[in-house]
Amino acid sequence: MVNAHKIKQDICEIGRRLYNKGFAAANDGNITVRISDNEILCTPTMHSKGFLKPEDISSIDMTGKQISGIKKRSSEALLHLEIYKQRPDIKSVVHCHPPHATAFAVAREPIPQCVLPEVEVFIGDVPITKYETPGGQAFADTILPFVSKTNIIILANHGTVSYGVDVEQAYWWTEILDAYCRILMLAKQLGNVSYFTYKEEKELLDLKQKWGWQDPRNTPEYQNCDVCANDIFRDSWKESGVDRRAFPSPPPMAPAANVAQAVTQAVSSAAPVLRAAAANSGAAEGSELAGLDQEQLVKLITAQVLKQLNG
């Protein structure tokens, strides 16, 4: 049997953590916990999350209608409800404005990957939504392209929303992300961010899979992706106004076989042009290239490119 009073106490405790960490100034943020198929415990609107009491927590149904409580439910409950609708495994949602992660939301800067082991194992690629005025269904819908592939989302020019199997876990992802964003900013001030090698990153992804944590990069859909290049959500960047401005792209980190295949395809496509250019060259080397058939030319250039990559 669900102990609703105990869960309300847990919500109040997480509210205090949010407030004390500076993740929810004044009356910012909201917390929900799903306790049945059609009942959600919800923090009240216009109330500091640092000073909640169990009797302040209301309950709503899956349409957003308040069904109990002396204080009005949060105005952003629809965002939480959309996550519950899309993810039946989720039992709690935390929304707040952690300063360092929200700075990335305001800058619309993608969170660099392949830097800290804990972030790779517990979080992975973090998407940034397009901006919508908070509170309505259009705002709630901004998470739809991402909610199934991650447990934390950055809301453009707003904050973060994270979710898990209980309110403690839902909060964890936010704390991990904000600490990471702060570290990234400090490292950039020092002048350098060092990335993992492909081998180092693959070891972390293998551990993540072994421990039962989901990551799109461990699925067939993304088996050929560049594991450190934010490739999971890159298709959404244009619509969201996301672009690399503060942090450079990490070095390419696809499996060597995939790199070789890509290089071979690119060179093969360019081979007729290269041969034509060589034929028009008066140099001895150009004449030698012009005499090669396409397969020989592709092999020669591919070998040289891969030699440089591996050097």
Side-chain angles (χ1 to χ4, degrees):
M1 179 180 291
V2 173
N3 186 336
H5 182 73
K6 174 61 169 63
I7 294 173
K8 288 180 180 181
Q9 291 178 319
D10 294 341
I11 291 173
C12 294
E13 168 59 25
I14 294 303
R16 281 189 286 272
R17 292 193 211 175
L18 291 175
Y19 184 78
N20 292 336
K21 291 284 289 186
F23 291 176
N27 63 299
D28 287 355
N30 31 77
I31 305 167
T32 61
V33 175
R34 187 173 190 173
I35 59 173
S36 73
D37 289 345
N38 195 45
E39 185 175 2
I40 313 291
L41 297 179
C42 181
T43 52
T45 188
M46 299 300 293
H47 196 301
S48 173
K49 303 309 167 293
F51 302 92
L52 289 169
K53 299 183 292 295
E55 56 264 31
D56 296 325
I57 310 301
S58 63
S59 64
I60 60 176
D61 65 19
M62 285 295 289
T63 70
K65 178 184 177 182
Q66 187 161 336
I67 55 180
S68 72
I70 59 175
K71 295 187 177 181
K72 186 179 178 181
R73 58 91 161 162
S74 168
S75 61
E76 295 182 350
L78 294 181
L79 174 68
H80 297 238
L81 295 178
E82 198 57 51
I83 292 171
Y84 291 127
K85 290 173 185 176
Q86 301 299 321
R87 291 282 301 271
D89 58 310
I90 294 302
K91 301 302 180 185
S92 181
V93 178
V94 172
H95 163 57
C96 58
H97 309 152
H100 304 93
T102 302
F104 279 80
V106 171
R108 302 193 191 182
E109 175 79 20
I111 307 291
Q113 294 180 282
C114 296
V115 177
L116 281 184
E118 292 79 5
V119 173
E120 293 306 302
V121 171
F122 293 120
I123 295 181
D125 198 359
V126 180
I128 301 178
T129 68
K130 66 178 182 178
Y131 178 78
E132 287 286 350
T133 302
Q137 188 60 45
F139 169 65
D141 289 345
T142 62
I143 57 92
L144 291 177
F146 317 113
V147 65
S148 65
K149 294 179 179 177
T150 180
N151 288 326
I152 186 164
I153 297 171
I154 291 180
L155 308 167
N157 292 78
H158 190 155
T160 62
V161 62
S162 56
Y163 34 100
V165 297
D166 55 37
V167 68
E168 177 93 11
Q169 188 187 76
Y171 166 75
W172 277 355
W173 309 146
T174 294
E175 186 168 312
I176 292 171
L177 180 63
D178 196 69
Y180 180 46
C181 290
R182 182 169 182 263
I183 290 167
L184 287 169
M185 292 176 181
L186 292 171
K188 185 166 178 61
Q189 289 178 21
L190 291 174
N192 179 59
V193 174
S194 297
Y195 297 94
F196 297 137
T197 64
Y198 175 78
K199 179 177 180 294
E200 292 165 341
E201 177 63 18
K202 190 64 173 63
E203 287 174 354
L204 291 171
L205 290 176
D206 289 345
L207 279 176
K208 187 170 188 175
Q209 189 167 30
K210 178 182 177 181
W211 292 340
W213 298 102
Q214 301 301 311
D215 192 300
R217 292 171 292 178
N218 281 331
T219 64
E221 182 180 0
Y222 294 99
Q223 64 181 348
N224 294 322
C225 76
D226 186 334
V227 295
C228 294
N230 300 96
D231 278 352
I232 307 303
F233 304 114
R234 186 184 295 270
D235 289 346
S236 69
W237 285 9
K238 185 176 181 180
E239 183 180 17
S240 303
V242 174
D243 198 8
R244 296 191 192 277
R245 302 176 182 94
F247 292 85
S249 300
M253 291 191 193
N258 295 337
V259 173
Q261 182 181 15
V263 170
T264 300
Q265 290 174 347
V267 173
S268 181
S269 298
V273 176
L274 292 171
R275 190 188 302 104
N280 293 329
S281 172
E285 183 179 357
S287 299
E288 292 174 4
L289 287 174
L292 298 175
D293 63 31
Q294 180 162 321
E295 183 178 356
Q296 292 172 319
L297 185 61
V298 168
K299 288 181 178 179
L300 175 64
I301 298 175
T302 300
Q304 291 300 314
V305 172
L306 290 176
K307 181 178 180 182
Q308 293 298 316
L309 288 174
N310 294 328

